[in-house]
Amino acid sequence: MLMKKRKMNRKLNFNAGPGALPAEVLQQAAAAVVEYNNSGLSILEISHRGTAFANIIEESKQLVRELCELDEDYEILWMHGGGRMQFCMIPMNFLGKDDFAGYIDSDHWSHSAMEYAKFYGNVQVLASSADDRYNHLPSWPEFIPAHLSYLHYTSNNTIYGSQWQTVPKCNVPLIADMSSDIFCSKRDYKNCDMFYAAVQKNVGAAGVTLVVIRKDMLQRIKRSLPSMLDYKAQANENSILNTAPVFAIYTALLTLRWTKAQGIDSLEKENRQKAHILYEEVERNSLFNLYVQNKEDRSLMNVCFTAIDPATEKGFLKFCEERNISGVKGHRSLGGFRVSLYNAVTMQATEQLVTAMKEYEHSVSI
Ligand SMILES: *Cc1c(COP(=O)(O)O)cnc(C)c1O
């Protein structure tokens, strides 16, 4: 190889998405770009219809089943187009022109999913915290009308930092956007009829979306659709209807292997510890204000806060940069800071950030 070796100064990465990946996943993915499994070919060069890739798809599906404790009742698909493409495909497939779908409006993403649905049918908002700029979760609806084609919600609100701690049972098909918190804790995935995750937060590299869908949902498809946009056609072709994003799916497989090796229980334990020390510090620190005040609504994955004195905002970002801490700037719609604590973010990195917050407070007050 022509590349010169240089020791990389790896930053502490708190980016919201694409987010941090485990170092060993990056090394394995890099090695596969040079040569995949002694095949004499790069992972970027192998056929999506060959045996090697068929094995990658099979193992990845098996791992998703294991990690979510699902049986053969569910199809596991790898889809193009990111989370937003699912915002379109869900109503295209499951919402007839005169039908109603329920949406829980708890953040920018869930709101956006609902706006896409309006192209295809009627939307009923069953709960919303939009009037409070999403600084808490809305109350889960006590009554869910039986005529709804489905109920859609976002399990973790990536931009504002709130999260539903459990997956509720539902009397109509329940569809969850789990893009930013899949595999962060043990949960009843079976309560969902469909869930999906754009993988660039907790499962891999951008370019593919994991879609898990109960087989009986495929009988509920309302329209005749071009095969690329039809869940049943995608399931029949095992996600290789067209050229699959081979590398993105392979990176997801590497992350799934890593996730299984850690164990969801131990990841959850560490995620709780990371979130705990960070929330504690934001609350203690005289410079910052936490965005989501209700303890039970707070996200384990995205911690959002603002500078009490806006003059210190830039200063803290610069302070972080000087300490090799990256990705703490808040989303453009909220400003302030957002720290993402995805599975691959270590306790040690979180502790270093907490230390930087204390040191910054000290440097400002002298
Ligand atoms: C990041 C994110 C998405 C968007 O995914 P894209 O792949 O950028 O379309 C959707 N939903 C949630 C909850 C997210 O965090």
Side-chain angles (χ1 to χ4, degrees):
M1 289 281 113
L2 297 171
M3 272 177 297
K4 266 216 181 117
K5 281 259 178 201
R6 172 181 77 85
K7 181 136 176 42
M8 174 178 166
N9 184 11
R10 194 155 158 74
K11 290 184 177 168
L12 306 177
N13 183 3
F14 298 101
N15 266 313
L21 285 171
E24 56 258 56
V25 166
L26 296 176
Q27 280 153 7
Q28 291 161 356
V33 167
V34 179
E35 183 182 13
Y36 180 64
N37 256 0
N38 303 320
S39 65
L41 295 172
S42 159
I43 186 79
L44 305 179
E45 300 172 311
I46 66 167
S47 165
H48 63 294
R49 304 211 181 266
T51 319
F53 188 63
N55 292 337
I56 290 172
I57 289 265
E58 235 7 80
E59 187 187 345
S60 68
K61 285 166 55 165
Q62 193 46 43
L63 282 170
V64 171
R65 276 211 174 85
E66 257 179 67
L67 291 168
C68 300
E69 303 179 320
L70 301 173
D71 48 33
E72 298 290 325
D73 291 354
Y74 286 82
E75 290 284 358
I76 290 151
L77 308 175
W78 295 105
M79 306 285 293
H80 297 271
R84 278 184 189 80
M85 185 63 108
Q86 296 311 305
F87 298 172
C88 311
M89 283 181 69
I90 290 162
M92 268 183 202
N93 280 265
F94 302 126
L95 182 60
K97 191 165 89 42
D98 299 320
D99 299 340
F100 286 82
Y103 278 78
I104 308 286
D105 179 17
S106 56
D107 156 295
H108 165 92
W109 292 116
S110 56
H111 192 86
S112 180
M114 177 170 103
E115 292 300 320
Y116 279 92
K118 290 177 183 168
F119 284 92
Y120 303 98
N122 303 294
V123 161
Q124 215 167 318
V125 181
L126 295 192
S128 173
S129 51
D131 288 348
D132 296 322
R133 287 197 71 207
Y134 304 118
N135 67 4
H136 58 89
L137 289 175
S139 310
W140 192 261
E142 274 173 32
F143 174 74
I144 295 164
H147 69 267
L148 296 178
S149 298
Y150 60 83
L151 175 64
H152 180 278
Y153 85 111
T154 306
S155 58
N156 182 67
N157 299 299
T158 325
I159 293 175
Y160 295 87
S162 65
Q163 182 180 29
W164 303 93
Q165 302 301 329
T166 54
V167 183
K169 281 200 187 313
C170 192
N171 54 322
V172 301
L174 182 65
I175 300 180
D177 177 357
M178 297 192 179
S179 292
S180 51
D181 70 345
I182 193 165
F183 307 138
C184 85
S185 63
K186 232 180 152 64
R187 58 172 53 155
D188 291 320
Y189 290 96
K190 281 198 196 76
N191 287 352
C192 294
D193 296 272
M194 169 176 166
F195 55 94
Y196 61 99
V199 304
Q200 64 269 23
K201 276 99 184 210
N202 244 350
V203 200
V208 72
T209 299
L210 170 64
V211 172
V212 181
I213 186 163
R214 268 185 73 94
K215 287 181 178 161
D216 55 10
M217 285 295 281
L218 302 175
Q219 309 311 318
R220 291 175 179 260
I221 296 175
K222 293 286 167 80
R223 296 183 168 76
S224 142
L225 290 164
S227 54
M228 274 303 286
L229 300 169
D230 182 304
Y231 289 123
K232 199 168 175 183
Q234 289 284 358
N236 288 342
E237 297 296 328
N238 202 16
S239 307
I240 53 167
L241 211 155
N242 72 327
T243 312
V246 172
F247 183 61
I249 295 174
Y250 180 63
T251 312
L253 170 63
L254 295 173
T255 316
L256 290 167
R257 284 182 188 155
W258 177 87
T259 305
K260 184 184 166 183
Q262 310 301 304
I264 300 270
D265 286 336
S266 107
L267 288 169
E268 172 170 353
K269 198 167 150 219
E270 191 163 345
N271 285 335
R272 290 193 186 284
Q273 285 167 348
K274 290 175 331 196
H276 176 75
I277 63 164
L278 183 55
Y279 279 114
E280 202 168 50
E281 174 59 19
V282 177
E283 289 197 299
R284 185 210 61 77
N285 197 303
S286 60
L287 301 178
F288 304 122
N289 244 342
L290 199 56
Y291 193 66
V292 172
Q293 291 291 329
N294 292 348
K295 275 209 161 90
E296 57 278 20
D297 293 355
R298 291 177 190 169
S299 169
L300 291 176
M301 295 281 96
N302 311 99
V303 179
C304 299
F305 51 101
T306 50
I308 293 173
D309 174 2
T312 61
E313 186 175 312
K314 276 211 175 81
F316 182 60
L317 291 174
K318 188 158 171 282
F319 195 82
C320 286
E321 206 179 297
E322 288 161 3
R323 279 156 189 75
N324 246 352
I325 294 171
S326 92
V328 301
K329 193 172 172 16
H331 188 268
R332 58 189 184 278
S333 62
L334 187 59
F337 312 103
R338 169 173 53 173
V339 174
S340 298
L341 300 175
Y342 298 130
N343 285 350
V345 174
T346 62
M347 184 67 185
Q348 198 193 4
T350 316
E351 283 165 350
Q352 279 174 263
L353 174 64
V354 165
T355 303
M357 290 163 77
K358 290 185 202 294
E359 286 174 2
Y360 184 62
E361 180 188 36
H362 188 70
S363 78
V364 166
S365 58
I366 50 174

